[in-house]
Amino acid sequence: MATQYKNLINGEMVETDEWLDVVNPANEEVIGRVPACGKDELDQAVAAARAAFKTWKTSTFEERHAACMAISTAIKENADELYRLLTSEQGKPHAQAKGEIFGAAGISAAQSTLQLEEEIVQDDDTRLHRHRRVPVGVVGGIVPWNFPVMMAVQKIVPALMAGCTIVLKPSPFTPLTTLRLAELVADKVPAGTVNIITGEDSLGPLITGHPDIDKITFTGSTATGKKIMEGASADLKRITLELGGNDASIVLPDADPKKVAEQLFWSSFQNAGQVCIAAKRVYIHEDIYDELSAAIAEYAKTVVVGDGSEQGTGVGPIQNKKQYDRVLELIQDAKDNGYKFLTGGDKDPSGTGYYVPITILDNPPEDARIVAEEQFGPVMPLMKFSSEDEVIERANSSHYGLAGAVWTGDPEKGVEVAEQLETGTVWVNEFMHLSPFAPFGGHKQSGFGAEYGKEGLREFTYPQVITVKKDNVVA
Ligand code: NAD
């Protein structure tokens, strides 16, 4: 029988009568079972978080730092076990799973150093005017399946650092590594401060609508983000939304095709393209289009698609059947419309597992579905452009605004173009690099608020202003 994983509520690992199966996307085998929680378990977790909040809200910086460092250390000390488990449930190759696990440990350590200093707005003979930040209360965290561990800790750690307590719901597709981590930290963080419960998607709206949760921090699709905003409006819960993206990469004519081909490839195909900040539309200047597109297609031939636990695999399977069917549908749409493929375009018919061959499209039109929609899979549309103004307009013509990149031999020129892109993050000559000390968030329909840095931490707090009139002592 598949291993049964428990939930973390009030410092105890607990189970339910109902279970959900978790499948390895590389072979479609059930590899674990997790509790299928509903309202009762959610109520228990929220009650535990509420009770813990009474004391945690007045905890010192040192206590918060120690709890978050315990999480970071637990991840690091058990990295070997965790990354293998992550590959088996998420599908990403071992090297990338290791990157996520060590990244999660690093992000936790970095964010555990953050604090929001009190601001003295006025301090003179007449008045002391203080602005301090106070924790919002009990947080509901909801995360997706593409970076389950990273997303979990980037909600748990700032919540704790702000003095909040949290009830976190992993994706039903990828809850195992997060629950194993829960078990590892259950006795290392104060009971009730961190609660992790699993369930179907239907558990999400129960969290969003729970009257005793004060804030929702969510990472996932824009469609779900809109539902969350609506659900949270009933009692004006605070919300932070990290949503979808359709990031554009712009390659200027002075970029060296030999130097950028491989980097561009991985900016799209990391985690089989299932990255919110993957390059999902690549615009290449017409002067270098033929040479660069050929170089990318050539490099693609060297990358192995397969089971992430096997040595040499570069691109793993799609994480779940629903997303797999969606990516195949987008590829079929491109075929039906007669767009040209440089590689891929066909599903490998052999065997089990949600594998999609590396697929690169040759200059499909701007209104092709594969260009206009977030594909979230191993498919890269390459498009030709002729002028800077034109490419900036095309890059910005999306309701998403998460990130983007500019590739050029002239970094100053790159910054000039970067500043004209309507996205929360823009890289010049690199991709996917994020700092835990700089805000990460989407413009337009890619998000609401930000994570990371002090700005991210502030989202778990309310401002409180206390003024003391000094020249009016009334006793
Ligand atoms: P999703 O929106 O389907 O699910 C995300 C989480 O929300 C899951 O835990 C799910 O169970 C829960 N959920 C589903 N319906 C809900 C509802 N009505 N109310 C509350 N919760 C609900 O997203 P996904 O398919 O898991 O993830 C892929 C998407 O996430 C992509 O669009 C991707 O771009 C986005 N994403 C964004 C970021 C970012 O930082 N901006 C990072 C990673 C992924």
Side-chain angles (χ1 to χ4, degrees):
M1 198 173 76
T3 312
Q4 295 194 161
Y5 291 76
K6 296 179 183 177
N7 282 182
L8 173 61
I9 298 180
N10 205 22
E12 303 287 332
M13 297 309 292
V14 295
E15 51 185 61
T16 50
D17 298 334
E18 306 276 317
W19 297 87
L20 292 179
D21 286 343
V22 178
V23 166
N24 180 341
N27 55 25
E28 300 175 48
E29 280 170 16
V30 174
I31 49 165
R33 300 173 80 207
V34 300
C37 293
K39 185 177 175 311
D40 290 350
E41 294 80 9
L42 174 62
D43 283 345
Q44 289 164 26
V46 174
R50 177 61 58 195
F53 180 63
K54 280 194 191 132
T55 45
W56 190 249
K57 70 179 175 185
T58 58
S59 54
T60 62
F61 169 78
E62 287 70 25
E63 287 165 330
R64 297 176 189 181
H65 175 77
C68 294
M69 282 308 294
I71 296 173
S72 173
T73 305
I75 298 172
K76 246 195 286 182
E77 285 178 351
N78 297 278
D80 210 50
E81 176 195 346
L82 293 175
Y83 87 73
R84 287 171 194 278
L85 182 57
L86 179 58
T87 291
S88 70
E89 66 171 337
Q90 204 284 331
K92 65 186 60 172
H94 272 163
Q96 294 175 33
K98 243 186 224 179
E100 178 173 346
I101 293 300
F102 281 105
I107 288 278
S108 303
Q111 296 204 317
S112 76
T113 63
L114 292 174
Q115 54 184 324
L116 300 170
E117 293 83 17
E118 185 167 307
E119 182 189 7
I120 303 296
V121 178
Q122 183 186 348
D123 186 9
D124 55 25
D125 292 345
T126 57
R127 182 176 287 110
L128 172 64
H129 200 125
R130 292 165 56 201
H131 165 207
R132 65 184 202 126
R133 307 297 298 196
V134 295
V136 289
V138 174
V139 174
I142 303 176
V143 297
W145 44 258
N146 60 342
F147 285 87
V149 182
M150 181 69 98
M151 301 293 153
V153 300
Q154 76 187 45
K155 303 209 174 319
I156 294 170
V157 169
L160 293 183
M161 290 310 297
C164 295
T165 57
I166 187 164
V167 176
L168 183 103
K169 186 192 91 59
S171 165
F173 294 117
T174 52
L176 303 184
T177 319
T178 312
L179 291 184
R180 177 66 186 121
L181 176 61
E183 198 179 350
L184 292 168
V185 301
D187 61 353
K188 298 191 172 61
V189 296
T193 55
V194 179
N195 305 275
I196 302 184
I197 60 171
T198 45
E200 299 272 17
D201 282 354
S202 54
L203 182 59
L206 297 178
I207 295 175
T208 315
H210 200 288
D212 215 18
I213 289 181
D214 304 290
K215 178 195 166 69
I216 301 292
T217 173
F218 169 77
T219 299
S221 64
T222 294
T224 307
K226 289 178 186 176
K227 289 184 196 154
I228 286 179
M229 197 164 191
E230 207 179 321
S233 72
D235 50 6
L236 290 181
K237 282 186 179 61
R238 272 40 188 174
I239 51 171
T240 303
L241 305 175
E242 294 293 352
L243 308 177
N246 195 4
D247 294 4
S249 256
I250 298 173
V251 192
L252 298 181
D254 63 357
D256 181 347
K258 283 182 229 46
K259 287 193 179 153
V260 291
E262 187 175 333
Q263 298 183 71
L264 272 172
F265 177 89
W266 286 112
S267 74
S268 281
F269 289 98
Q270 181 122 198
N271 200 22
Q274 305 162 111
V275 187
C276 55
I277 49 174
K280 293 175 183 142
R281 301 175 284 157
V282 178
Y283 295 97
I284 302 172
H285 191 272
E286 58 189 4
D287 288 357
I288 56 167
Y289 182 87
D290 290 346
E291 189 183 348
L292 180 52
S293 57
I296 296 172
E298 202 51 41
Y299 179 74
K301 286 188 200 148
T302 67
V303 178
V304 177
V305 177
D307 185 330
S309 65
E310 281 168 15
Q311 213 176 357
T313 296
V315 171
I318 297 285
Q319 200 283 322
N320 59 75
K321 177 80 166 70
K322 189 172 156 218
Q323 184 62 22
Y324 175 63
D325 288 343
R326 179 177 150 68
V327 173
L328 293 182
E329 183 192 313
L330 287 173
I331 293 173
Q332 189 58 46
D333 177 79
K335 278 160 75 175
D336 293 346
N337 280 287
Y339 306 145
K340 217 174 130 199
F341 289 78
L342 289 170
T343 64
D346 283 310
K347 182 204 163 333
D348 178 353
S350 64
T352 51
Y354 307 138
Y355 298 106
V356 173
I358 289 168
T359 302
I360 302 176
L361 280 119
D362 183 10
N363 205 24
E366 197 66 30
D367 62 356
R369 283 187 64 194
I370 200 70
V371 179
E373 297 178 23
E374 181 188 36
Q375 65 271 47
F376 223 61
V379 187
M380 182 194 213
L382 304 178
M383 275 92 64
K384 232 180 248 190
F385 74 91
S386 46
S387 84
E388 235 170 66
D389 287 349
E390 169 215 330
V391 77
I392 289 165
E393 194 175 323
R394 288 168 73 182
N396 286 339
S397 68
S398 168
H399 61 260
Y400 290 115
L402 194 57
V406 185
W407 298 87
T408 172
D410 175 1
E412 264 180 50
K413 177 79 195 159
V415 170
E416 211 177 279
V417 174
E419 286 180 350
Q420 295 178 72
L421 295 183
E422 297 165 352
T423 61
T425 301
V426 193
W427 298 281
V428 176
N429 292 341
E430 69 171 340
F431 61 97
M432 292 188 197
H433 174 78
L434 298 176
S435 162
F437 302 113
F440 170 65
H443 294 188
K444 304 195 259 185
Q445 292 187 32
S446 283
F448 197 94
E451 290 190 301
Y452 289 2
K454 289 194 178 183
E455 196 157 329
L457 187 57
R458 217 171 273 126
E459 300 236 343
F460 292 87
T461 65
Y462 292 127
Q464 184 183 50
V465 173
I466 296 178
T467 72
V468 181
K469 189 83 162 81
K470 290 187 185 169
D471 56 2
N472 185 27
V473 177
V474 294

